[in-house]
Amino acid sequence: MLSYILRRLLLVIPTLFGIMVINFSLTQFVPGGPIDQVIARVQGEGDSIEALAGDGSDPGIVESDGDSAYIGARGLPPEFIDKLEINFGFARIVCAEGFVGEPTLKDPACVKVQIGSFERFWIMLGKYVRFDFGESYFRDISVFDLIAEKMPVSITLGLWSTLIAYLVSIPLGIRKAVSDGTRFDSWTTGVIVAAYSIPSFLFAVVLIVAFAGGSYWQIFPLRGLVSDGAENLPLIPRFLDYLWHIALPVTAMIISSFATLTMLTKNSFLDEIRKQYVITARSKGLSEGRILYGHVFRNAMLIVIAGFPSLFIGMFFGGSLLIETIFSLDGLGQLGYRSAIERDYPIVFGTLFAFGLLGLLVGILSDLMYAWVDPRIDFESRG
């Protein structure tokens, strides 16, 4: 097992590299880069040129020669564009050999040299290996600190949603398999299929209207993870306040996840219950409980465990944007969306690298859970 884990960990490296190559390459064809975003903001703010230029002088207005690669750069000082390119890592200052002092474009011995996409990619990867994700272009904060700041919201939504989905769906799926064809099986199937057809964001709006003061009851709060001043409460009241705040957003996120996981569990158990070894166990006089949980359970749960990584990652990162927006929660979903719109590449690629690495590691964890549920599985023999 140790050699298998080592092989999987080594496979993470080329897989993650491929993910970064593909996404970095795609961004090169997307119009409107980060410099265009800044130029658009500056032209809308007028006097912000001096503040962003940072040298305290009046840059004036210099007519462009028409060769600028940036949309909307006409009328902005070339020095301002040069400073943006250097600050964002698209160019560097190179000075003549023997130059002494701080490199600056004002010195005739120094010139600006563009950094190609290929070089920028390898510089970025070199930093990511050290888990140095750089700083946001527009927020003046490191990407690592920014992710850590937004992480509690996504941890809350992803962890609680996944946990509740498994705690409810697995027992319900087992009960439906045992009661296959009964009235209980029929009406529960109708309920979960109806729940699956309801979009999470629409159900979130219904919850707000019904229980958060929209039109009926003011039972749950509308925004935030905790109340103001909750940090001063004792541990148990503080935890209850936390649960009170997350009740509606977590409920909205898990409403559609019950159907897939419940039906997967039911069908998996039904498939195992009909096999010959179950018939043999019954002929030997074993109780239904012993057969179900002593023999069927570990075989039927394999396919359920196989779906854990995708469900976890989907809950954790993929399904929270609309929920965060509706319930005014500032988490990774909104961070990723705003960063993509603003072309804030350090955040886009930093979060992609971190989440891709986490997803691959969760996949390895899923294999280890396979072996834990069914010790007969030997990954070493697959080699």
Side-chain angles (χ1 to χ4, degrees):
M1 178 61 73
L2 290 178
S3 61
Y4 170 77
I5 295 175
L6 180 60
R7 290 197 303 269
R8 286 294 304 272
L9 289 175
L10 292 176
L11 188 61
V12 166
I13 298 174
T15 304
L16 194 59
F17 178 79
I19 293 173
M20 299 303 297
V21 167
I22 293 173
N23 285 274
F24 186 87
S25 301
L26 290 176
T27 60
Q28 307 310 306
F29 301 99
V30 177
I35 295 181
D36 289 325
Q37 297 290 329
V38 175
I39 291 173
R41 294 185 184 188
V42 169
Q43 289 186 328
E45 296 172 358
D47 294 337
S48 298
I49 296 178
E50 180 177 347
L52 288 172
D55 58 5
S57 62
D58 183 5
I61 299 298
V62 180
E63 291 298 328
S64 171
D65 58 5
D67 295 331
S68 174
Y70 303 109
I71 299 173
R74 180 172 301 169
L76 293 179
E79 296 83 3
F80 175 70
I81 305 299
D82 292 340
K83 189 175 182 65
L84 285 180
E85 290 182 327
I86 294 170
N87 289 343
F88 287 174
F90 292 96
R92 65 165 64 95
I93 300 176
V94 177
C95 298
E97 186 176 354
F99 177 82
V100 179
E102 182 179 356
T104 173
L105 292 178
K106 295 181 179 180
D107 195 302
C110 299
V111 295
K112 182 189 73 171
V113 177
Q114 296 290 336
I115 302 177
S117 300
F118 185 78
E119 185 179 356
R120 285 191 287 111
F121 176 74
W122 286 106
I123 292 174
M124 180 185 71
L125 282 189
K127 293 180 179 180
Y128 285 4
V129 170
R130 305 189 302 269
F131 289 93
D132 177 10
F133 300 136
E135 289 194 0
S136 167
Y137 287 158
F138 307 111
R139 293 175 174 83
D140 194 25
I141 183 175
S142 72
V143 175
F144 191 88
D145 292 339
L146 193 59
I147 293 176
E149 178 185 320
K150 310 299 183 183
M151 186 68 78
V153 172
S154 294
I155 289 179
T156 291
L157 296 178
L159 188 60
W160 282 106
S161 299
T162 304
L163 180 63
I164 294 175
Y166 269 82
L167 289 178
V168 173
S169 297
I170 291 177
L172 180 59
I174 295 174
R175 174 67 186 280
K176 286 175 65 62
V178 174
S179 308
D180 184 45
T182 63
R183 180 177 298 179
F184 173 82
D185 181 41
S186 299
W187 73 260
T188 52
T189 298
V191 171
I192 63 175
V193 169
Y196 181 75
S197 64
I198 302 175
S200 296
F201 71 91
L202 179 60
F203 189 63
V205 173
V206 173
L207 291 176
I208 290 177
V209 171
F211 302 109
S215 298
Y216 297 94
W217 301 283
Q218 179 68 58
I219 301 176
F220 296 97
L222 184 57
R223 58 177 57 87
L225 289 181
V226 293
S227 301
D228 294 335
E231 64 277 3
N232 300 322
L233 296 174
L235 181 60
I236 294 180
R238 192 191 328 171
F239 181 69
L240 293 177
D241 178 76
Y242 167 73
L243 294 179
W244 182 47
H245 279 75
I246 68 173
L248 294 188
V250 169
T251 301
M253 282 196 66
I254 64 177
I255 185 64
S256 61
S257 63
F258 285 132
T260 302
L261 192 54
T262 300
M263 299 308 296
L264 179 65
T265 304
K266 175 192 173 182
N267 293 333
S268 179
F269 271 80
L270 277 178
D271 184 57
E272 292 295 324
I273 288 173
R274 293 165 181 168
K275 289 184 177 179
Q276 183 62 42
Y277 75 89
V278 175
I279 299 175
T280 302
R282 284 172 177 161
S283 67
K284 291 181 178 180
L286 295 180
S287 65
E288 287 296 318
R290 177 73 180 276
I291 295 172
L292 185 63
Y293 294 102
H295 298 278
V296 173
F297 183 82
R298 67 179 183 180
N299 295 325
M301 283 300 294
L302 291 177
I303 192 172
V304 178
I305 292 175
F308 172 77
S310 59
L311 178 63
F312 176 78
I313 296 299
M315 288 284 193
F316 204 83
F317 304 121
S320 59
L321 173 59
L322 292 175
I323 300 300
E324 289 177 13
T325 303
I326 292 172
F327 289 98
S328 301
L329 300 173
D330 191 10
L332 294 176
Q334 289 204 47
L335 174 64
Y337 173 75
R338 289 198 299 266
S339 301
I341 295 298
E342 297 171 350
R343 307 296 192 268
D344 199 339
Y345 290 153
I347 298 179
V348 172
F349 293 123
T351 53
L352 177 67
F353 180 87
F355 299 162
L357 178 61
L358 180 60
L360 293 170
L361 294 178
V362 168
I364 298 175
L365 176 63
S366 178
D367 285 348
L368 296 179
M369 293 177 66
Y370 265 122
W372 176 70
V373 173
D374 190 349
R376 296 172 301 173
I377 294 179
D378 183 11
F379 289 108
E380 297 291 345
S381 62
R382 297 171 56 187

